[in-house]
Amino acid sequence: MAPYLLVVESDPDLQRQIADALREANYELSTEREGTWAQRSLSIRVPDGLVVNTRLSDGAGFKVASELRRDPEGAHVPIFFLSGGARGVSHDAEMRRRFAPATCLPAPVDPNSLLANLLRTLPPPVAPVRVRLPSPTTPPPADDEQAREGAAVEQHAPQLQAEPSSPVNISGSLERDSFAQVLRRLFVERRTGALLVVREKTKKIVYVEDGYPVAVRSNALRECLGQILLANRRISADVLKSSLQQMQREKRQQGEILVQMGVLSPHGLAEALAQQMEAKLLGLFAWRSGNFVFKEGWKTEAESVSLDRPTGALILEGVRLHYDDNQKDYVLALAAGKYITPTSDPWLRLQELSVDAKDTQFMSRADGTLTLEEIMNVPPVPRDRARTLMVSMLEAGVVEACDQPLADLPLAPLALPEGTGHPRWSRTELAAYMHGMRAQSHFEVIGVTVDVGGDEIESAYVQKAKLFHPDGFRGRSTVVRELVNQIFSRLTEARRTLTDPGLRKAYLARLERARSYGGGGPDAATAAEQVYYTGVGHLHERRYAEAEAAFRQATNLVPGQPSYHGALGWAIYRRAPTDRKALEAATSELEHAVGLAPDDPWVRVSLGRFLAETGKPQDAVAMLQSALRLDPLAHDIEEEIRRLTEDV
């Protein structure tokens, strides 16, 4: 059985970092932010280990430690103090004496140092910790709340299944595509909508925003909040029964009743609701059969909590919990004897799967120079964990299996450089950063000089792009996430242009032409870039009329830039997707972009995707095939062609 830890930390970011590290190490845990509620939690279940900050928002963490020691069952439970300030060696020694066995970790707290101490004192099991649910043969107690959710799922499922076939919708079978692969496709295409997954009588709807799962609803009565809390020993069977009876009498939500009863804190309730929702999603990784259909544009109803783990991290957790040896063997067999190479698409390659230092060290070996067997034979992590990581990397699309080693230097490390992390950018700071990028050339955006080569550009790009990958900003506000998306897209566009010899040559020539544009006045190229990226911001925020105006201004300043015309085409279409004249004008702009840069595969990809979305899949396939001929190693183009040909 996994050791159960209680983590008491008022800083939400630090608490999340600690919780992620401990869960990945197979610990069972619950968290609290206030000492008062932590003491109540101790009265319900004594932990195997207590992690507590000495300075909490409602007082000192020593009160929590004292409460634990008063219980005979907690007399010898190890305590790990997170120091909230400089208190001196003598003070730490006194804490160890009073609360022995105890360990004091100084600020700033490093989750990896905490984990190392816990591993020495309370080693977890090698096997993954699973949420314990009652047997399917055991009828769950009546839960009106889950019954209402199930009824809503049953109501919406026929609407999703009846949606007419469309290039923007997705459907298929889990016997052919694993659930992880379905999530990866939604992520890489940055979809927003609802995914219905059906197996026999069980139905689940996964709501997705910009490629990230944010909510899950299920008609399975066993997946109710009370059952999750009971399985995790957060409440007793008597409390569950009492709360259900009160629900039925008062017609209130179970979580509200449990908080009123004093057995759950508001934070504990939010954590339990998130665990309940995550358990519903992760259970889908165990499905080897069933059908799925995705409908674009569907929005979830207001939820009290939402999933905030990145897609890659969810895939890793799903593989860890629900892939058996046969399933892992199947995935690894497809890559046997091949070189494991970072995926070319930075959106996929720079995903955040794990924050564990040993995991990231292992993942960094997948640099395109070693075969699967060479990576797996000398891992810095146990072999079972290495298998889980490699399967997850392949399923999430972080890496791909290639017949030949990567000819050039590795595209990018699959983790943040040592000693770095995601800074806590404020919305104002991100807006200012994005505003500054709009006035910069591609070289300035990445932070390199005009004379540097591709390797230096790639290295500088990774340093910035990893910090701004949207995975690091899950749980933040919509405005923050939109700003981060814009920054990441701007960085990636600059990197793509400067690392492709043809695109770089054309970009430098365009800058040179613009510098000699009509004597005096502002530099036309700089002005066009500013206007263009202003338009990109409008497009991200669905202000299509403003985006169209900005892109028109950019094409007027620099008429020969294909990306400006392609963006203008998309803005025209998005502004009036059902208007015939707008459709013709959009098509004209995108075709003009291809004419301006016939050797640029990605201009052709943009037109191909436009043709697919506007109901011309055969023309789209032909255009994408022409792009693939220009860039035969672009596996994402090849994958897009495969999907379209299956639908045609």
Side-chain angles (χ1 to χ4, degrees):
M1 183 178 294
Y4 165 64
L5 306 175
L6 175 61
V7 179
V8 192
E9 170 57 60
S10 296
D11 183 331
D13 288 334
L14 179 57
Q15 185 189 85
R16 180 181 298 180
Q17 292 171 23
I18 291 172
D20 287 346
L22 299 188
R23 287 195 177 99
E24 286 181 9
N26 287 348
Y27 285 103
E28 181 186 357
L29 70 148
S30 61
T31 62
E32 292 292 353
R33 291 184 182 171
E34 298 176 356
T36 302
W37 282 103
Q39 292 177 61
R40 294 192 189 185
S41 179
L42 292 173
S43 68
I44 296 170
R45 182 181 180 186
V46 176
D48 299 307
L50 172 66
V51 179
V52 58
N53 199 311
T54 57
R55 292 183 177 180
L56 300 172
S57 58
D58 64 341
F62 303 122
K63 293 182 179 178
V64 181
S66 297
E67 184 69 21
L68 175 64
R69 288 291 182 254
R70 274 196 287 269
D71 190 320
E73 293 184 26
H76 301 290
V77 169
I79 300 175
F80 301 85
F81 288 108
L82 311 180
S83 178
R87 295 184 178 261
V89 176
S90 61
H91 188 276
D92 288 350
E94 177 64 15
M95 279 197 293
R96 292 188 182 95
R97 186 193 65 78
R98 285 180 56 199
F99 298 104
T103 301
C104 299
L105 299 174
V109 176
D110 178 9
N112 287 323
S113 296
L114 170 62
L115 178 58
N117 278 274
L118 283 163
L119 290 173
R120 286 193 296 269
T121 309
L122 294 168
V126 175
V129 179
R130 300 175 185 269
V131 174
R132 298 177 299 278
L133 288 172
S135 166
T137 59
T138 304
D143 186 329
D144 293 343
E145 197 171 330
Q146 185 63 28
R148 285 192 294 271
E149 179 178 316
V153 170
E154 294 287 358
Q155 177 186 354
H156 292 149
Q159 301 173 39
L160 289 165
Q161 291 170 315
E163 176 68 12
S165 177
S166 167
V168 301
N169 292 334
I170 300 170
S171 60
S173 167
L174 292 178
E175 293 178 353
R176 187 187 66 181
D177 298 310
S178 69
F179 181 65
Q181 292 169 340
V182 177
L183 284 187
R184 181 181 72 191
R185 179 175 177 184
L186 298 177
F187 176 72
V188 74
E189 296 179 12
R190 307 187 195 189
R191 296 296 194 106
T192 295
L195 174 70
L196 171 67
V197 192
V198 180
R199 185 182 65 177
E200 298 176 350
K201 294 183 179 180
T202 303
K203 302 180 180 71
K204 298 189 182 186
I205 300 177
V206 182
Y207 293 93
V208 181
E209 289 183 6
D210 295 325
Y212 290 98
V214 294
V216 187
R217 312 196 87 188
S218 168
N219 71 344
L221 295 180
R222 293 176 56 250
E223 295 181 331
C224 57
L225 175 64
Q227 294 297 98
I228 297 289
L229 291 169
L230 181 64
N232 288 328
R233 293 188 287 167
R234 296 297 301 275
I235 62 174
S236 66
D238 289 340
V239 168
L240 174 60
K241 181 179 179 181
S242 176
S243 65
L244 289 171
Q245 292 172 344
Q246 200 167 336
M247 278 178 65
Q248 294 168 358
R249 287 197 311 269
E250 302 176 11
K251 306 302 181 185
R252 290 193 295 147
Q253 293 184 336
Q254 187 177 26
E256 179 185 348
I257 291 171
L258 290 170
V259 171
Q260 185 183 47
M261 293 171 66
V263 296
L264 270 187
S265 68
H267 168 75
L269 172 60
E271 181 183 56
L273 289 170
Q275 288 176 347
Q276 177 196 21
M277 189 175 290
E278 195 167 285
K280 293 176 184 179
L281 178 80
L282 295 176
L284 289 166
F285 285 88
W287 290 21
R288 304 290 178 259
S289 63
N291 297 312
F292 62 87
V293 59
F294 176 82
K295 181 177 178 182
E296 185 78 21
W298 267 49
K299 294 281 189 178
T300 180
E301 300 173 9
E303 300 278 355
S304 56
V305 297
S306 64
L307 295 170
D308 60 7
R309 278 215 270 185
T311 299
L314 289 169
I315 290 176
L316 173 60
E317 188 71 359
V319 170
R320 186 177 75 88
L321 290 174
H322 296 296
Y323 275 37
D324 57 24
D325 286 339
N326 289 335
Q327 183 73 0
K328 292 177 183 177
D329 288 342
Y330 174 78
V331 176
L332 294 174
L334 298 176
K338 298 185 178 182
Y339 292 87
I340 307 303
T341 303
T343 302
S344 59
D345 183 352
W347 180 259
L348 281 172
R349 184 172 78 248
L350 300 179
Q351 291 180 81
E352 185 178 284
L353 267 68
S354 172
V355 296
D356 182 85
K358 289 185 178 179
D359 288 352
T360 55
Q361 182 186 353
F362 171 79
M363 291 190 291
S364 68
R365 292 173 58 83
D367 60 5
T369 65
L370 301 173
T371 64
L372 173 71
E373 291 74 17
E374 289 171 329
I375 295 172
M376 298 296 291
N377 284 341
V378 195
V381 296
R383 183 166 180 80
D384 286 345
R385 179 64 175 177
R387 281 166 52 84
T388 295
L389 283 168
M390 182 56 70
V391 169
S392 302
M393 291 160 66
L394 290 164
E395 291 282 72
V398 172
V399 295
E400 54 195 24
C402 299
D403 293 328
Q404 300 295 326
L406 196 63
D408 301 320
L409 288 175
L411 286 169
L414 297 174
L416 284 169
E418 188 175 353
T420 64
H422 293 288
R424 181 71 180 182
W425 295 85
S426 69
R427 185 178 75 172
T428 303
E429 290 171 329
L430 289 168
Y433 195 92
M434 183 64 218
H435 179 74
M437 295 175 80
R438 289 172 178 165
Q440 295 175 330
S441 69
H442 288 334
F443 295 98
E444 293 168 326
V445 162
I446 294 181
V448 295
T449 57
V450 178
D451 59 335
V452 301
D455 295 341
E456 291 178 76
I457 290 171
E458 184 68 25
S459 177
Y461 164 77
V462 169
Q463 292 288 330
K464 286 191 175 181
K466 186 65 179 176
L467 294 175
F468 290 106
H469 192 284
D471 275 7
F473 295 83
R474 300 303 303 151
R476 301 290 298 277
S477 69
T478 301
V479 174
V480 164
R481 295 198 306 272
E482 288 177 351
L483 284 167
V484 169
N485 277 327
Q486 293 176 42
I487 292 172
F488 187 83
S489 297
R490 177 74 176 93
L491 285 165
T492 302
E493 170 66 16
R495 174 249 181 198
R496 184 177 72 87
T497 301
L498 299 183
T499 54
D500 182 291
L503 294 180
R504 177 170 176 155
K505 182 178 179 181
Y507 178 70
L508 288 171
R510 188 173 74 249
L511 288 180
E512 187 59 35
R513 286 197 307 270
R515 289 191 183 97
S516 60
Y517 183 83
D523 184 306
T526 300
E529 291 286 287
Q530 291 180 18
V531 173
Y532 170 72
Y533 285 108
T534 298
V536 170
H538 289 317
L539 200 61
H540 274 294
E541 294 164 12
R542 298 179 175 83
R543 296 194 294 267
Y544 300 126
E546 292 89 337
E548 179 183 345
F551 294 141
R552 285 194 188 281
Q553 186 178 354
T555 58
N556 289 334
L557 286 167
V558 183
Q561 169 60 294
S563 62
Y564 296 171
H565 289 277
L568 175 57
W570 276 103
I572 293 171
Y573 169 66
R574 291 292 188 215
R575 180 178 57 81
T578 60
D579 184 86
R580 182 178 59 82
K581 290 184 178 180
L583 184 61
E584 292 174 355
T587 304
S588 176
E589 291 292 342
L590 284 154
E591 290 176 344
H592 183 51
V594 173
L596 288 171
D599 296 330
D600 182 350
W602 296 101
V603 176
R604 293 173 179 265
V605 168
S606 182
L607 176 56
R609 289 170 176 168
F610 174 80
L611 292 169
E613 186 164 330
T614 53
K616 298 179 180 179
Q618 293 180 334
D619 293 342
V621 169
M623 183 56 61
L624 290 170
Q625 286 174 336
S626 70
L628 189 61
R629 286 193 290 272
L630 293 171
D631 187 359
L633 297 179
H635 298 289
D636 44 351
I637 301 177
E638 193 174 11
E639 178 67 15
E640 207 157 341
I641 293 172
R642 183 188 69 80
R643 290 196 300 265
L644 283 171
T645 52
E646 288 176 352
D647 295 335
V648 172

